[in-house]
Structure formats: structure tokens, C-alpha cells
């Protein structure tokens, strides 16, 4: 059902954990299944220098969290805010159609963390 890239990111997720002094925190849930992702970002000079997350979800959600964290790390806040679920799924070399809904969690959580970051900056 899952390709090797998805399985690799599910079994060896990158960037897991928390950032205690994060500059932005975002949390989103998938109402269809109740799974949740919480993401922490550290921003220096407008760039995401660190990204960590905790995902309580299915294999696809965890693989997407891992890949999304890799995709936005080092990017500017503006670039990271534009990440789409399609970007994440493509980087994972595809997800089963019925699992595409699970790939919303990571981009949505990143945007929520960026909104939190901007709110803290008074933007
Ligand atoms: Fe809940 Fe995939 S089944 S995020």
C-alpha cells in the first residue's frame, strides 16, 4: 500500500520532538479520524532554522509530518507557508488516494505555527 519512501519516513521519522523555546507553535486535528499534529518552529532572520513536531496519527500522517519538516527546514517563512499537501505527497513519491486527506495535517499545522509566529511578532 505504501511505497518505500513513505515507509522509511514512517519508520524513521525525521525531526520529531519539541522545541521548548519555539517562536511559533501550531496544532491541527483531522476531524475525520481524530488524529493530531503539533508543530514547533524556530525562526531566525525570517528563516525556519528548526522544525520539530509530535504527530499522533496514521502511517501516512507521520510520514507526511517527517517529509514536510524536511521540506520547510531552512526555508523562509513565506516559502514554508506555501507548502501544499501535493508538495508533500510528491516528495514522498505518492500516497494512496484514500490517504491524501491525512496529508493535509502537516501543511495546515505549519501554517498554524507560522500564524502563531506572526501573531507573536505583532504582524
Ligand atoms: Fe488520521 Fe491518517 S487516518 S491522519
Amino acid at each position: 500500500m505504501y511505497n518505500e519512501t513513505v515507509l522509511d519516513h514512517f519508520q524513521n521519522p525525521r525531526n520529531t520532538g519539541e522545541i521548548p523555546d519555539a517562536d511559533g507553535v501550531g496544532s491541527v486535528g483531522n476531524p475525520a479520524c481524530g488524529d493530531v499534529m503539533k508543530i514547533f518552529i524556530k525562526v531566525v532572520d525570517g528563516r525556519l532554522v528548526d522544525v520539530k513536531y509530535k504527530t499522533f496519527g496514521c502511517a501516512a500522517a507521520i510520514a507526511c509530518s517527517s517529509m514536510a519538516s524536511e521540506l520547510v527546514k531552512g526555508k523562509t517563512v513565506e516559502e514554508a507557508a506555501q507548502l501544499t499537501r501535493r508538495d508533500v505527497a510528491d516528495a514522498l513519491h505518492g500516497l494512496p488516494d484514500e490517504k491524501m486527506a491525512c496529508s493535509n495535517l502537516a501543511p495546515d499545522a505549519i501554517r498554524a505555527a507560522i500564524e502563531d509566529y506572526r501573531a507573536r511578532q505583532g504582524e
Side-chain angles (χ1 to χ4, degrees):
M1 177 176 176
Y2 292 120
N3 68 46
E4 280 186 18
T5 309
V6 175
L7 287 175
D8 177 37
H9 278 265
F10 167 57
Q11 287 163 345
N12 309 292
R14 283 60 151 179
N15 305 310
T16 55
E18 296 184 29
I19 301 175
D21 60 342
D23 297 312
V25 180
S27 195
V28 297
N30 181 346
C33 62
D35 291 342
V36 179
M37 178 180 186
K38 187 171 188 183
I39 190 156
F40 305 80
I41 59 172
K42 190 84 196 153
V43 180
V44 175
D45 293 336
R47 264 179 208 281
L48 275 64
V49 294
D50 200 10
V51 180
K52 295 214 182 296
Y53 60 86
K54 288 187 159 181
T55 297
F56 303 91
C58 66
I62 290 168
C64 287
S65 302
S66 172
M67 181 55 85
S69 71
E70 294 266 271
L71 290 173
V72 298
K73 207 166 172 179
K75 293 281 188 340
T76 65
V77 171
E78 288 73 23
E79 288 166 341
Q82 286 168 14
L83 185 78
T84 67
R85 71 176 189 168
R86 175 54 61 192
D87 297 331
V88 178
D90 286 352
L92 286 168
H93 304 130
L95 281 170
D97 283 346
E98 65 273 22
K99 283 291 176 185
M100 279 305 286
C102 309
S103 64
N104 282 326
L105 273 187
D108 287 352
I110 288 167
R111 267 186 285 283
I114 289 172
E115 275 175 31
D116 181 46
Y117 163 73
R118 286 176 169 156
R120 293 188 199 196
Q121 301 301 304
E123 288 178 26

